[in-house]
Amino acid sequence: MSSNKEIGFDILENSDLDSVEEIGTDNMNIDKNARDRMLKITMDKYSAASGKQMNSQKVPETMEYAEQVSGTEMIQHRRLSRIIGFAACSAAAVALIAGGMFLYKHNASPENTVSDPAGEVIVTTAAESTATEPESEGIDVNANYIFMNPYTDRTDITQEELDAACMRYLDSLSKDRSEIWDIGYSFNDINHDDIPELFVRYSANGGGGEKMFVYDGKEYKSAHFNSSVSEHETVENNIGGDVINICPEKNLIYVSTEDIFTGHNFSKILWLDKRNTAATAFELNDSGYYIGGVRDYKLSDPNDTEARDKFEASYYLYNWQDLEYTPYDEAGENTKKTETTKPEDDNKSNGALITDSLFIAENPDTDRTDITQEELDAARKRVKEDWYNTDELEDNDMEYAYADVNGDGIPELFIKEYTLSHGYVQSMLVYTGEEYRGAYYYIDFKGSKHNDIDGAYFGQIGGNIDVYGNIMICPEKNLIHLNEGGDDLGTILKFEKGNIMKTLYKYSYDVCYEGGVEVSHSVETADRFQAALDSCNWQELEYTPFD
Amino acid sequence: MTDNEYRSMYNEDPYAAQTALFDEYLNFVCAIVYNKLRSCGSREDMEECVGDVFSAVFLHFDSKGSFSGDLKALIGTIASRTAVQKYRSIIRHSNTVYIADETGEIADDERLEEKTDRSIMQGTMLRLIKSLGEPDSDIILQKYYYNMNSNEIADKHSMSPATVRMRCSRALKKLKALLMAEGYDMKEGSI
């Protein structure tokens, strides 16, 4: 057992005022209902104590506690007032967006969905809302679910200009994001404005996806839309996901992402007007199924398929196409990453490999010699039970592998889990004699900044860092190859008996170490690192699903 | 809002002045109350306590005709004391024994040592959380200290809930590593 003191977030309780402010007084979630309730309580107490009768009419009536506590949402389909006057001009959206709404015409058949293939947006304002009813099956897209992307009025744009803009973006993507490869691009004019939208496909560590960009007259910019968090709450998101389909005849884009932990499908059908304005026509997420921003079906049970069925019914109304991508620089730099992690042949020289380091982390160890596989299996099962994120989503897709990297007869445990942002990520754990604990290695970044797999800052302090990322092993040399993504180009660790972890190489864009000594980031050091990699026979771990 | 601003507004419309002051300091007062009652109070307890605080602040002004000194410090002090009273009231009516007892008194050397340890641990925890950088530090606090769900946090940061969950998991792992480097293990129940 660890001799460390235990600490939890409850240590932050009973703080002094300075600490309370440091924790962040704006971090609390106080919604309008809670605010109104507390104001009413305040005024009631003040009136009772002072004898002064405050005007209670000014204090809004509040929701009942029971509704809040149970988490039951008030189901008030505040359908916005019916659309009356039409202005068949999407440019008007700019002026009308605040008080107005889009009408996305939709009937039950594809033929009736959008009468004009060019897809005019039909707009009105609240002030105009006094006349006749629109077509009965029209969909009102709430103004909150409209996102105005950058666009251009230029009419002199050539395909060469767009090709150049596309390449500029892809070059920067390839250069700045070492964890992305297998990039492809596709031009498609979804909104019929004669300026094709750009779609980019990419692979990332264990994942990948597709993403859409719009041209602003100079560059291709990431396209966005407004997505439902819950009814009446939106959040701005990129138009990107696991899969994008298009329906140019109706100006539609379908984007879908599957959360494999929960099985929730996050899908949307977006309509794009000539000014690159995206309207969220249909959306499926973990809170339900939405039409034009209004929840049509609330999802309360994860096993309920009704919302998905409804969304799929909308999806199948249209004639969808897969995107056809042109590979970007097939033989070039962007494939370098995959090559570096390929197992190399055994005959290569190992003369370049450093075998010692100033950076040493002593992981927990045991002297016991009576450890059985049954004991380790039991400990492994406890790892799953205690996994740090089991209260969230990610415990449904965990796999494990044993491998005795340091040759001490006690196999290390490796866990592979799925993360939404980065696909599969692996962790290494060592056996303490009682339990498996996360393994770590030491690094001292001194004053250098380093971005980890999430782009989070990880600098100025040295310390022990989890062995967490893409892991390959070379048991014959007691080595681990770790790639954390982000700015990290790779780490080679030596794991010796006694669970001693030595950081032999650390290569990132910002800082490089060999044997715990900082070295410059140069062609020579890169060659040495590559030679070190090539000198080992790296093995992928073979993972088994948990019981 | 200054004392003068409140007073002139109060002379025009007392209710408007009180509401303005309430809105300006609501987050501050809620944070103090939450900090004291987090482990023992229900949401209703906390909201009632916030009502007690602002009511006391308004009564203080009525009795003095002004807020002498730093208005924020005055409200902070009233909030802190009111929350401690509420805390005591709750534990008196509870069968649960709460280890942390906010008496504000130092009974002996042992208690002094305990408070010092706690203060050091508080400082360490806050420092390490802050070292995660924005927005991870805020997300961690919102998730594990303020017990907000991913959707609520996502809303505050204009992120998707999935991104929040991911950042949270990664930040927590990083925090655990940082704590371990400082000689602490994260309490299992706190995760």
Side-chain angles (χ1 to χ4, degrees):
Chain A
M1 292 292 286
S2 167
S3 59
N4 286 349
K5 280 186 181 177
E6 285 206 325
I7 191 169
F9 289 93
D10 56 356
I11 195 68
L12 300 177
E13 293 172 16
N14 283 323
S15 306
D16 58 29
L17 289 182
D18 288 343
S19 297
V20 169
E21 291 216 88
E22 207 176 337
I23 291 167
T25 56
D26 287 330
N27 275 336
M28 286 191 82
N29 193 35
I30 305 169
D31 62 22
K32 187 174 182 307
N33 289 318
R35 177 261 182 200
D36 290 345
R37 271 198 310 274
M38 287 186 274
L39 180 59
K40 188 171 190 305
I41 292 168
T42 297
M43 291 310 180
D44 287 347
K45 285 177 178 288
Y46 173 71
S47 296
S50 66
K52 296 176 182 174
Q53 188 57 46
M54 300 309 292
N55 184 359
S56 62
Q57 296 302 313
K58 291 181 179 177
V59 182
E61 287 302 318
T62 59
M63 293 164 66
E64 292 300 319
Y65 277 120
E67 284 180 316
Q68 290 283 299
V69 172
S70 66
T72 307
E73 285 195 37
M74 289 181 74
I75 307 299
Q76 292 180 342
H77 274 256
R78 287 188 298 162
R79 295 288 292 198
L80 298 173
S81 55
R82 280 298 189 176
I83 295 174
I84 319 298
F86 296 152
C89 167
S90 64
V94 176
L96 302 176
I97 201 84
M101 63 181 70
F102 280 58
L103 172 65
Y104 172 59
K105 293 170 76 177
H106 165 76
N107 285 348
S109 71
E111 291 70 29
N112 297 331
T113 303
V114 177
S115 56
D116 175 4
E120 296 291 348
V121 179
I122 300 172
V123 190
T124 187
T125 66
E128 293 171 318
S129 303
T130 53
T132 56
E133 285 269 314
E135 293 171 37
S136 59
E137 292 181 274
I139 295 175
D140 310 344
V141 179
N142 185 308
N144 292 331
Y145 294 81
I146 308 292
F147 190 94
M148 292 188 295
N149 285 292
Y151 78 101
T152 177
D153 285 331
R154 284 179 53 203
T155 55
D156 58 343
I157 295 168
T158 62
Q159 186 57 46
E160 288 71 29
E161 176 183 336
L162 297 175
D163 287 342
C166 169
M167 287 305 139
R168 280 198 297 278
Y169 172 74
L170 296 179
D171 288 346
S172 67
L173 180 71
S174 171
K175 181 184 172 190
D176 297 342
R177 301 284 300 275
S178 66
E179 76 273 24
I180 288 180
W181 70 94
D182 190 23
I183 301 168
Y185 63 95
S186 176
F187 288 111
N188 291 276
D189 188 5
I190 305 296
N191 56 355
H192 306 277
D193 63 351
D194 296 328
I195 305 172
E197 282 66 60
L198 171 65
F199 294 83
V200 173
R201 175 208 64 197
Y202 62 94
S203 294
N205 288 322
E210 299 175 51
K211 200 174 166 191
M212 180 180 135
F213 299 80
V214 292
Y215 194 62
D216 71 351
K218 290 182 180 174
E219 302 291 346
Y220 271 106
K221 297 287 173 65
S222 180
H224 292 76
F225 74 105
N226 282 335
S227 174
S228 304
V229 173
S230 63
E231 193 157 38
H232 312 307
E233 290 182 75
T234 62
V235 63
E236 179 187 325
N237 273 333
N238 291 328
I239 299 181
D242 294 343
V243 175
I244 293 181
N245 290 167
I246 58 171
C247 176
E249 64 184 297
K250 306 294 184 192
N251 295 38
L252 296 175
I253 306 138
Y254 162 78
V255 187
S256 180
T257 298
E258 184 93 10
D259 180 343
I260 73 162
F261 306 115
T262 61
H264 282 307
N265 187 283
F266 294 82
S267 297
K268 45 261 166 196
I269 295 174
L270 310 170
W271 185 88
L272 194 72
D273 86 340
K274 284 191 172 182
R275 292 205 165 197
N276 295 339
T277 298
T280 313
F282 304 97
E283 186 168 14
L284 172 71
N285 61 30
D286 56 358
S287 64
Y289 168 62
Y290 295 78
I291 302 174
V294 176
R295 185 156 55 199
D296 182 71
Y297 187 83
K298 183 178 180 180
L299 194 61
S300 50
D301 175 0
N303 297 319
D304 187 351
T305 60
E306 182 74 15
R308 184 180 292 222
D309 292 345
K310 281 174 171 279
F311 182 86
E312 284 183 356
S314 301
Y315 173 84
Y316 287 117
L317 291 173
Y318 307 106
N319 182 27
W320 296 104
Q321 303 170 19
D322 287 336
L323 290 159
E324 293 182 7
Y325 288 98
T326 304
Y328 161 72
D329 187 18
E330 271 183 306
E333 288 190 337
N334 54 74
T335 55
K336 187 169 61 182
K337 182 180 179 65
T338 49
E339 290 166 6
T340 63
T341 55
K342 278 184 190 169
E344 297 292 338
D345 103 31
D346 249 338
N347 297 327
K348 294 198 174 175
S349 163
N350 65 357
L353 186 69
I354 294 170
T355 54
D356 208 351
S357 178
L358 298 175
F359 288 168
I360 298 172
E362 294 180 8
N363 283 272
D365 184 31
T366 177
D367 291 332
R368 286 179 52 203
T369 55
D370 58 347
I371 295 167
T372 63
Q373 188 58 48
E374 289 71 27
E375 177 182 336
L376 296 176
D377 285 340
R380 184 248 306 163
K381 286 175 183 169
R382 290 196 298 275
V383 166
K384 184 171 189 245
E385 289 163 8
D386 298 339
W387 199 242
Y388 64 96
N389 52 15
T390 49
D391 63 330
E392 290 287 354
L393 310 171
E394 305 176 31
D395 61 335
N396 292 330
D397 191 14
M398 283 174 61
E399 296 181 317
Y400 70 94
Y402 289 118
D404 186 5
V405 180
N406 61 356
D408 65 354
I410 306 171
E412 283 68 60
L413 178 64
F414 295 84
I415 301 289
K416 184 165 79 171
E417 59 173 330
Y418 190 86
T419 65
L420 291 171
S421 305
H422 309 292
Y424 286 104
V425 183
Q426 300 152 46
S427 304
M428 175 181 169
L429 297 88
V430 296
Y431 196 60
T432 65
E434 294 181 354
E435 58 191 346
Y436 274 108
R437 300 287 293 269
Y440 43 80
Y441 70 98
Y442 182 83
I443 198 77
D444 178 3
F445 286 109
K446 296 179 180 170
S448 300
K449 287 187 175 182
H450 170 72
N451 290 325
D452 76 351
I453 201 163
D454 276 341
Y457 174 62
F458 213 168
Q460 290 182 337
I461 51 169
N464 293 327
I465 297 174
D466 290 341
V467 181
Y468 180 81
N470 282 343
I471 297 174
M472 298 177 82
I473 60 170
C474 176
E476 66 196 35
K477 293 182 180 175
N478 311 120
L479 295 179
I480 298 156
H481 178 210
L482 174 68
N483 191 312
E484 296 172 292
D487 287 350
D488 184 40
L489 298 175
T491 305
I492 300 178
L493 305 168
K494 187 174 187 186
F495 191 55
E496 298 179 344
K497 286 178 182 171
N499 291 351
I500 305 296
M501 189 77 82
K502 293 182 175 176
T503 311
L504 301 185
Y505 294 85
K506 177 73 182 177
Y507 265 69
S508 78
Y509 278 119
D510 296 318
V511 64
C512 303
Y513 291 96
E514 292 178 353
V517 177
E518 186 169 0
V519 294
S520 63
H521 194 225
S522 65
V523 174
E524 290 74 25
T525 51
D527 286 346
R528 287 204 296 271
F529 181 60
Q530 188 62 50
L533 283 173
D534 292 348
S535 70
C536 305
N537 183 22
W538 297 107
Q539 299 172 15
E540 299 271 9
L541 288 148
E542 292 185 9
Y543 286 91
T544 306
F546 273 86
D547 301 332
Chain B
M1 179 182 281
T2 64
D3 179 26
N4 282 342
E5 286 168 348
Y6 181 83
R7 196 181 316 138
S8 57
M9 197 187 283
Y10 187 89
N11 290 336
E12 292 280 325
D13 182 346
Y15 179 82
Q18 290 171 342
T19 305
L21 186 138
F22 176 92
D23 284 335
E24 183 164 341
Y25 289 102
L26 179 62
N27 282 345
F28 179 55
V29 169
C30 283
I32 294 168
V33 169
Y34 185 86
N35 187 263
K36 302 290 180 196
L37 304 183
R38 180 177 179 269
S39 294
C40 64
S42 65
R43 201 181 50 128
E44 288 88 331
D45 290 330
M46 293 183 202
E47 291 187 359
E48 194 184 342
C49 186
V50 170
D52 285 331
V53 172
F54 280 107
S55 172
V57 170
F58 299 157
L59 290 168
H60 177 91
F61 179 84
D62 286 358
S63 66
K64 307 283 184 190
S66 70
F67 293 121
S68 53
D70 183 345
L71 179 54
K72 188 175 182 181
L74 173 73
I75 292 173
T77 304
I78 291 175
S80 197
R81 287 179 183 165
T82 307
V84 169
Q85 285 166 7
K86 185 73 179 174
Y87 172 86
R88 289 174 179 156
S89 161
I90 291 169
I91 62 172
R92 265 202 305 275
H93 296 93
S94 164
N95 293 325
T96 309
V97 176
Y98 293 92
I99 295 167
D101 181 16
E102 180 64 38
T103 63
E105 296 165 2
I106 300 167
D108 49 39
D109 290 345
E110 196 177 306
R111 185 160 176 80
L112 177 62
E113 191 178 326
E114 182 188 313
K115 284 174 77 81
T116 305
D117 277 350
R118 185 175 172 78
S119 174
I120 291 169
M121 287 170 78
Q122 266 182 2
T124 303
M125 185 64 139
L126 261 180
R127 176 169 53 80
L128 295 182
I129 290 172
K130 293 292 176 187
S131 77
L132 298 172
E134 295 288 355
D136 290 3
S137 56
D138 278 354
I139 289 173
I140 280 284
L141 285 167
Q142 285 162 343
K143 172 75 180 173
Y144 295 107
Y145 174 75
Y146 283 118
N147 293 322
M148 288 162 63
N149 64 38
S150 298
N151 282 349
E152 291 168 330
I153 298 170
D155 200 20
K156 273 190 171 281
H157 293 275
S158 298
M159 292 176 180
S160 70
T163 304
V164 168
R165 285 191 283 270
M166 183 55 211
R167 292 199 78 100
C168 210
S169 297
R170 295 279 291 128
L172 186 64
K173 281 203 93 170
K174 205 178 292 180
L175 179 62
K176 286 171 75 173
L178 292 170
L179 284 167
M180 191 175 280
E182 298 257 353
Y184 295 101
D185 284 339
M186 181 70 87
K187 218 187 276 182
E188 288 304 322
S190 295
I191 297 174

